[in-house]
Amino acid sequence: MLDSIRIVLIGTSHPGNLGGTARAMKNMGLGDLALVAPRSEHRSAEAISRASGADTILAAAQRVETLEEAVADCSLVVGASARSRTLPWPMLTPRQLGERLPSELAAEGTRVALVFGREDSGLTNAELQRCHAHVHIPSNPDFSSLNLAAAVQVLAYECRLAWLAAEHGEAPEITEQQQPFGVAWDNPPASHADLERFFEHLERVLIDVDFHDPAKPRHLMARLRRLYLRARPDQMEVNILRGMLSAVEKRCSEPPRG
């Protein structure tokens, strides 16, 4: 399970935080690190020093330019954040996140991404809206700002607790919310890349039929993202939705009948 969890850092500016993150990950048995447009060098002397022996994680880190690239193959993306600054989004505690992992990673080939933002400004609203859920660490409200590596350590610890519980047969019973209707699904969940292609297709069609005005968006696409991400469609369901959109596009391009 731990091998299927990816830590994603966006725009990290301090090499010490990169090294500290690698150390926190190795402490808890995680090894998959992705860096999105880092503002510091992850193989610098300071980063390696702060890694304290976990520099192999830094050496193997995937470096990409966009969040989409970092999580394209993930079926669940969770952003570490305080309360949403625009629309309310599904919110988890670190413990709830850990308890969900065994069911989320039960299917072969599934991956989960835990996304962390910049030290100075966190995740943008656009980045948060690309996550299925947000996780909030309930720190002291009078001093709530956590160091980046410390935040990674908290979530990595909960991931390890969940793994240990599963290894010893102590994992909590899967709730109906985690596995709706008490059945195993016939298709794997859609990946982030699948969903992003669907959202691009959906927005294009809504503009074509004059339902969506990108000059006056009024959170329409954000609300639709929240709806579909909350529904957790599988690969076949996304294919059906895109087939419907393609049929609408085809009909719109035909000359009027009669």
Side-chain angles (χ1 to χ4, degrees):
M1 184 180 81
L2 297 178
D3 291 338
S4 299
I5 299 170
R6 178 176 299 150
I7 300 296
V8 179
L9 305 184
I10 299 180
T12 309
S13 62
H14 197 290
N17 283 328
L18 294 171
T21 291
R23 181 177 182 177
M25 291 173 62
K26 193 163 186 176
N27 284 156
M28 296 298 121
L30 278 64
D32 188 354
L33 174 63
L35 307 175
V36 178
R39 295 178 285 173
S40 59
E41 177 50 54
H42 65 292
R43 298 179 185 177
S44 68
E46 184 173 1
I48 292 171
S49 174
R50 285 288 301 276
S52 299
D55 48 294
T56 52
I57 291 178
L58 294 177
Q62 177 188 13
R63 182 168 179 159
V64 296
E65 291 304 312
T66 66
L67 174 59
E68 286 75 13
E69 292 175 87
V71 301
D73 60 339
C74 297
S75 56
L76 178 68
V77 180
V78 180
S81 174
R83 300 295 170 181
S84 176
R85 286 159 284 182
T86 52
L87 296 174
W89 222 257
M91 185 72 72
L92 303 171
T93 66
R95 185 62 46 88
Q96 289 169 333
L97 169 65
E99 290 173 348
R100 282 185 60 167
L101 291 177
S103 60
E104 290 290 345
L105 295 170
E108 185 177 353
T110 53
R111 302 196 72 81
V112 169
L114 307 183
V115 184
F116 299 81
R118 302 151 192 84
E119 294 99 330
D120 52 353
S121 58
L123 296 168
T124 67
N125 286 333
E127 290 160 351
L128 287 168
Q129 289 168 8
R130 279 161 175 74
C131 300
H132 292 86
H134 302 165
V135 60
H136 174 66
I137 298 172
S139 55
N140 177 3
D142 296 326
F143 193 66
S144 60
S145 179
L146 277 169
N147 170 267
L148 175 59
V152 173
Q153 184 77 78
V154 170
L155 297 194
Y157 170 72
E158 292 295 341
C159 293
R160 186 163 187 82
L161 282 186
W163 173 74
L164 288 171
E167 285 286 289
H168 292 90
E170 300 169 358
E173 184 178 350
I174 297 173
T175 66
E176 186 173 311
Q177 182 180 7
Q178 293 169 318
Q179 186 169 287
F181 312 114
V183 299
W185 295 108
D186 55 346
N187 284 280
S191 69
H192 179 87
D194 293 333
L195 289 166
E196 285 304 307
R197 286 189 287 267
F198 164 67
F199 288 130
E200 290 171 5
H201 197 173
L202 176 62
E203 183 170 21
R204 185 170 68 246
V205 171
L206 293 179
I207 292 171
D208 288 345
V209 300
D210 295 327
F211 187 82
H212 173 46
D213 181 359
K216 299 178 181 178
R218 287 184 281 192
H219 297 306
L220 173 65
M221 291 309 301
R223 290 185 179 277
L224 289 173
R225 275 182 174 275
R226 184 175 63 174
L227 168 64
Y228 285 106
L229 290 174
R230 189 170 70 244
R232 302 294 305 281
D234 66 26
Q235 292 177 0
M236 180 62 72
E237 290 163 344
V238 168
N239 288 339
I240 292 170
L241 290 169
R242 293 201 63 190
M244 293 165 58
L245 293 173
S246 295
V248 172
E249 285 181 309
K250 182 179 179 182
R251 176 58 61 90
C252 289
S253 67
E254 293 176 351
R257 295 183 177 182

